[in-house]
Structures are given as C-alpha cells and as structure tokens.
Amino acid sequence: MAMADGTMRFDLLIYNGRVIDPANNINMKGCVAIKGGAIAAVAEDIPRREAEKAIDAGGSYIVPGLLDIHSHVYPLLPHDHAGALPSIDADTTMLRSGVTTTVDAGTTGWRDFLAFKENVIDTATVRVLALINMTVTGMVEMEAEQDPSQFHPEITAEVARQYRDVVVGIKAAHYWVGKPFDAVHVPWASADAGLRAAELCGMPLMIDFQPNYEPPGRTYEDLILKKLRPGDIHTHVFAKQFPIVDGAGKVLPHMRAARERGVYFDVGHGAGSFWFRNGQRALDDGFYPDTLSTDMHVASVKFAALDQLQVMSKFLNMGMPLEEVIMRSTSEPAKLIRRPELGTLSVGACADVAVIRVLKGDFGYVDCGYAMMRGDSRLDCQVTVRGGKVVYDANGLSLPRWQDAPPEYWKMPFLPK
Ligand SMILES: [Zn+2]
C-alpha cells in the first residue's frame, strides 16, 4: 500500500517470526519493519502490503544483528605472516553467522592502526570497531607483546582518542614467562601498560592474561580483584589457565567478588581459550560470562570456535536459555563497549538484524582442550540485514520462487561485495 507520495511505508518487513530484543525486554511473536536503513517499527502484526519487500521468518527468531567483541580482522598478505597473528576477513566469515558488528581485539598497535582503518574499518560491510593494542606493533609483530620497551601507553591513548568514533578500548595480551623472554620479564608490565593507556583515553581495557604463580609472579586473583577497574574486561574467562571453579564444582569467591566490583568476563573462545571443564561447571553453579565472543582468527575458524553462532550454540546446549544467549551476543556486548545504540531493535536504531533458527538433531561440540560435548540444538543463520540491506540470505527468503521469477536475468536485490 503506497503512501500519499507514492512510496511504501516500509522498505523491508520481516514478519511471522519471534522477535527477541533483550535491550527492550521484547520476546514475542511479531515482525520488524525497516525504512531508510533504520528500524521503523516492531509490532505483533504489520500488513505485508505496507512494505516494498517482505521476508517470511516463520519458525525463526528475529534478533538484533549480533556483536562479536573479540575478533581479529586485519588480514595480512601471506608474505607478511611470519610472527603475525593470522587474521580473517570480516565480511566473508561473519555476515553468514548474523554478525553485523565486530570488535577487532588489538590486532594492530598504533603503528598499523591507520592502515587497518583505511583497508578494513572504512570498507567492510560488517561494522568494525577496534581495541588498540598498547604495544607499537600489536599482533602484526607479536614479539613486541613480550618487550616492555615496546609498550607505548601514551601514544596508544592519543591514537585511541583521535579515532574514538571507531576505537572502543585498549588491548593487552600474550605476555608470557619463559625463554627467550626471561631477561625482560617484569610480572605486571603488560597489564600496567594496558591500564595506563585505558586510563589516559578514558576507555575500557580488555586483557588476555597469563597468570604466573611463581614469585615474583602475578596471580589471576590480583588481576581481577586489585588491578582491573570497573568496566574492564577479562577475555578468555573459560581458558584452562584460570582458577574459576574448585574441585567440588563451586565457583570460587574471587569470581563473584570481581563481578561485584564491576569487572566483566568475556568468552573469547579462540583456538586455545575455551574448556567445557571450566565453562560447564561455572554455568552449572550459576556463573554466566557477560559476553559470548569468538576470538576469530585463522586457527579458530578451522578449529573449535568456528563462528559466533557455534559459540552461542555451545552455551545453548550447556543450558543457557536462548534469550540469555541472544542478550550476551547483542545488548550486553554493546554495553561493555559503551555503544548502547547497537545490539537493539529500538525504533530509530541502525537496521542491523539477524534471522536465526534453532535446528534440532544430534550435534557435537568441540572445545580447545580436545574434548567434546553432545547437544540436540544448533543455531543457524537464515538472513542477515546490515543497515537495512539484505547482505546474507542462504535460503533465498528474500527472493521469488523460480517459478514466479521473470524470464530475463533481473537485477539482484543484493550483491555481496
Ligand atoms: Zn584474540
């Protein structure tokens, strides 16, 4: 039905689904209408004739486009790869799992940040935000993460401030003990430099932490109870190296005390940082991670993490209710990175939407400790909408049936870049 000026009331209508929008406490049968790249209406029923195009989401959930706040999306050319964390291309790996916003977790330091911004942040279809690594080279030359002389908190904070439209925090990571790093190893050098940069630019720190209990050492308890500030994020919470639960499966008091202080816990699954032996026991004792994320890079795409929906599927099968799984992949990550306008279907918000369904069957899930879990559910992405445009549609829900399609080749409604 056209408006008085001949245009339709909505550009796109996704109807007949179940709308879950945790930011607004919505969980109802309904539809989402989009106009001009923004969410225009969420209602139980909107007539299809009011929209230019309609997608039947029968049997599926209509949710905000997902956020994955720990990824590595600054792919380098193969000849640059020695000593670099091999990253992935955001658009080819994320749109297919409903992710419309990702946060690159410190792949670049200040030296490479502008190249990253020009080549990825400014060109990708996925909204790419960044944590800047507090070392000069970040993970482009990972050895710098071992060497305190290459920690540059002041310059890092300055670059973060300059580009605060796309920078949402600071990253410190991969600070080990052991040869050949013994000579320069100062226990808290990496955490302290990250905290200093975060303090200077007024943003949160996300830290990948390696505890060391030998004196002079650094303990996980001290990190989350004394070092991190309210709003800072410990990623990889269910990795093997952290004391999370005791022998009886009870969550240790320092976890709840740190949460009480306002410290956040992110999954950051990756190829080496998620163990059912920690995660399942923590969940069973009522300790949920604040956010679900992949730590996507080449190794985690090939093994265990796979993608955001796979990580979410694990938590669904571990017993986390679907609404919580969605919340911890939409409104909660948006809150942690202080972008509450993301991860929601509020009217006026950018129209980033995912249509997902729960497949039932016999599925296996693998963790980073070479253990598996069986489950009966798997999340599957049907359609991804970014800024009001369909950017992924594996089952052709936005297309006419072939019997109804015109004989000539016609203009694709969307074209993957
Ligand atoms: Zn990472």
Side-chain angles (χ1 to χ4, degrees), residues 73-91:
V73 293
Y74 180 46
L76 301 170
L77 297 171
H79 65 261
D80 291 329
H81 265 167
L85 184 86
S87 296
I88 45 116
D89 177 71
D91 287 354

Side-chain angles (χ1 to χ4, degrees), residues 61-219:
Y61 298 90
I62 308 167
V63 306
L66 305 175
L67 278 80
D68 178 0
I69 61 162
H70 186 156
S71 70
H72 298 279
V73 293
Y74 180 46
L76 301 170
L77 297 171
H79 65 261
D80 291 329
H81 265 167
L85 184 86
S87 296
I88 45 116
D89 177 71
D91 287 354
T92 50
T93 54
M94 294 185 168
L95 297 173
R96 56 179 299 137
S97 59
V99 173
T100 52
T101 297
T102 193
V103 178
D104 178 277
T107 310
T108 62
W110 65 266
R111 187 195 73 177
D112 297 279
F113 176 73
L114 271 180
F116 172 42
K117 182 178 180 297
E118 284 183 11
N119 289 301
V120 177
I121 294 176
D122 294 348
T123 63
T125 296
V126 173
R127 178 189 293 100
V128 177
L129 303 172
L131 302 166
I132 302 190
N133 195 301
M134 60 76 195
T135 74
V136 53
T137 58
M139 299 169 199
V140 175
E141 292 170 24
M142 293 180 80
E143 286 244 326
E145 294 184 306
Q146 308 303 330
D147 181 357
S149 74
Q150 299 198 52
F151 300 173
H152 292 183
E154 284 80 13
I155 308 174
T156 306
E158 187 55 37
V159 173
R161 267 199 301 260
Q162 287 283 328
Y163 294 95
R164 60 186 327 139
D165 53 333
V166 291
V167 175
V168 294
I170 303 294
K171 181 79 186 288
H174 307 139
Y175 189 59
W176 322 105
V177 183
K179 291 182 184 354
F181 312 119
D182 292 351
V184 290
H185 196 84
V186 178
W188 289 101
S190 174
D192 286 344
L195 285 163
R196 168 106 181 108
E199 191 75 47
L200 286 171
C201 63
M203 294 183 191
L205 171 72
M206 177 189 277
I207 188 163
D208 158 316
F209 186 70
Q210 304 293 325
N212 166 23
Y213 288 87
E214 295 299 314
R218 52 173 177 271
T219 69

Side-chain angles (χ1 to χ4, degrees), residues 47-62:
R48 288 173 61 179
R49 62 178 187 278
E50 296 193 356
E52 201 80 48
K53 174 183 283 297
I55 292 176
D56 185 347
S60 294
Y61 298 90
I62 308 167

Side-chain angles (χ1 to χ4, degrees), residues 346-391:
S346 296
V347 170
C350 183
D352 296 347
V353 184
V355 180
I356 61 176
R357 58 182 170 172
V358 181
L359 304 177
K360 286 293 177 183
D362 181 20
F363 303 106
Y365 292 98
V366 175
D367 77 4
C368 305
Y370 309 109
M372 67 90 75
M373 180 189 79
R374 294 221 79 84
D376 65 3
S377 304
R378 178 159 290 173
L379 293 167
D380 174 58
C381 181
Q382 300 246 57
V383 174
T384 305
V385 175
R386 169 78 179 97
K389 290 193 169 58
V390 175
V391 290

Side-chain angles (χ1 to χ4, degrees), residues 63-64 66-67 97-99 269 292-294 305 307-322 324-330 356 365 377-379:
V63 306
L66 305 175
L67 278 80
S97 59
V99 173
H269 189 305
L292 310 182
S293 68
T294 60
D307 63 22
Q308 179 72 18
L309 283 182
Q310 183 81 357
V311 174
M312 292 164 68
S313 295
K314 286 178 187 174
F315 282 86
L316 184 64
N317 284 282
M318 288 161 73
M320 185 183 281
L322 180 64
E324 296 258 351
V325 170
I326 304 292
M327 180 180 84
R328 290 164 204 284
S329 306
T330 54
I356 61 176
Y365 292 98
S377 304
R378 178 159 290 173
L379 293 167

